[in-house]
């Protein structure tokens, strides 16, 4: 996400990026600089998932085709989510979308990015949301972005026969629901699902800062 000053000014007041938690700082903790990164895959293009793109000078960026088109031309309800320039036309200071002028490769459907890393479509939170599945020695993790907002969303609500707990924020609830069901089925264990807004991940990342990527030859 953006640094606190920008986040607080252009998004919900009180949005903040705690010290040391920017993507650049987090990479530094595991010994990488943004310019070391060759591939960046976006789950979606909301402002709080795409900041610091200009620091990843050697990276190829991937996003879903539908998401990129919507990010360029969203309905006004989503201008803030994508930091659309129209919202800031009369502002003294012009806000520049993080992807402005940076090429993004668009993809659709289930796509192998490199061997052992796949994306698959999980729309609903945003029109072209996709999740990233990474094979590791502990199993295949699903980096589900905001398609599953927090882990509570995968819990059923038996008294009303819900097979999950729907999130409060979505562009389309039917696709959101189906995307959560799909990922619940696809993940071998619930702890392999990594939602971006799950606070417990901040604790887990202290013990496991890096998913050890491994190519499973038998796949
Ligand atoms: Zn989002």
């Amino acid at each position: 996400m953006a640094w606190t000053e920008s986040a607080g000014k252009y998004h919900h007041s009180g949005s903040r990026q705690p010290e040391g938690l920017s993507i650049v700082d987090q990479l530094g903790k595991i010994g990488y600089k943004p310019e070391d990164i060759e591939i960046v895959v976006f789950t979606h293009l909301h402002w709080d998932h795409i900041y610091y793109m200009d620091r990843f000078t050697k990276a190829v960026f991937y996003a879903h085709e539908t998401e990129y088109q919507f990010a360029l031309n969203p309905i006004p309800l989503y201008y803030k989510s994508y930091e659309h320039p129209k919202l800031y036309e009369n502002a003294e200071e012009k806000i520049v979308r993080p992807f402005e002028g940076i090429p993004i490769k668009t993809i659709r459907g289930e796509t192998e990015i490199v061997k052992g890393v796949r994306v698959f479509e999980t729309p609903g939170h945003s029109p072209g949301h996709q999740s990233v599945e990474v094979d590791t020695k502990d199993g295949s993790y699903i980096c589900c972005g905001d398609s599953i907002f927090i882990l509570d969303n995968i819990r059923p609500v038996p008294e009303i026969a819900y097979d999950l707990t729907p999130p409060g924020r979505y562009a389309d609830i039917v696709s959101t629901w189906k995307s959560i069901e799909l990922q619940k089925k696809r993940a071998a264990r619930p702890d392999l699902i990594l939602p971006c807004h799950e606070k417990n991940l901040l604790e887990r990342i202290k013990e496991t800062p890096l998913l050890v990527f491994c190519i499973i030859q038998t796949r």
Side-chain angles (χ1 to χ4, degrees), residues 15-212:
S15 293
R16 65 187 187 95
Q17 178 175 263
E19 198 64 37
L21 286 190
S22 76
I23 182 75
V24 176
D25 293 333
Q26 290 288 77
L27 279 173
K29 288 177 194 168
I30 52 170
Y32 290 93
K33 296 193 282 299
E35 56 268 36
D36 297 327
I37 305 301
E38 294 172 350
I39 299 173
V40 174
V41 185
F42 293 123
T43 55
H44 63 307
L45 296 171
H46 285 168
W47 72 279
D48 56 329
H49 294 256
I50 62 168
Y51 258 82
Y52 301 94
M53 279 178 72
D54 57 342
R55 302 283 303 274
F56 290 73
T57 48
K58 306 229 172 71
V60 176
F61 296 96
Y62 289 95
H64 193 281
E65 189 182 307
T66 306
E67 184 69 11
Y68 187 51
Q69 291 310 323
F70 189 71
L72 290 174
N73 193 22
I75 57 169
L77 182 68
Y78 285 101
Y79 280 173
K80 222 172 176 179
S81 303
Y82 295 99
E83 299 195 332
H84 195 274
K86 271 203 174 141
L87 201 58
Y88 309 103
E89 258 168 10
N90 301 316
E92 294 158 23
E93 187 192 341
K94 291 274 172 274
I95 187 165
V96 177
R97 292 178 287 198
F99 54 78
E100 210 74 72
I102 301 178
I104 292 184
K105 274 198 176 175
T106 57
I107 46 182
R108 57 170 49 246
E110 181 150 345
T111 306
E112 185 179 68
I113 302 293
V114 293
K115 202 161 168 50
V117 179
R118 299 164 294 282
V119 295
F120 59 98
E121 295 178 342
T122 49
H125 170 76
S126 67
H129 196 290
Q130 60 186 0
S131 294
V132 188
E133 194 171 44
V134 184
D135 299 336
T136 77
K137 64 178 181 48
D138 303 317
S140 294
Y141 277 90
I142 298 177
C143 304
C144 63
D146 290 351
S147 63
I148 300 173
F149 215 68
I150 53 173
L151 280 173
D152 270 353
N153 296 131
I154 66 174
R155 282 200 198 143
V157 192
E159 57 276 27
I160 42 175
Y162 284 9
D163 56 346
L164 51 88
T165 303
R169 192 176 156 76
Y170 43 78
D172 171 357
I173 189 58
V174 178
S175 342
T176 295
W177 200 291
K178 290 182 176 170
S179 292
I180 299 175
E181 286 180 334
L182 168 76
Q183 294 177 100
K184 276 182 73 168
K185 273 200 207 108
R186 195 157 169 147
R189 303 187 310 268
D191 68 293
L192 294 173
I193 296 176
L194 305 174
C196 279
H197 291 269
E198 174 58 51
K199 286 209 171 95
N200 288 342
L201 293 191
L202 278 176
E203 292 307 310
R204 273 174 67 188
I205 205 171
K206 287 178 190 159
E207 286 165 35
T208 319
L210 197 63
L211 297 181
V212 181

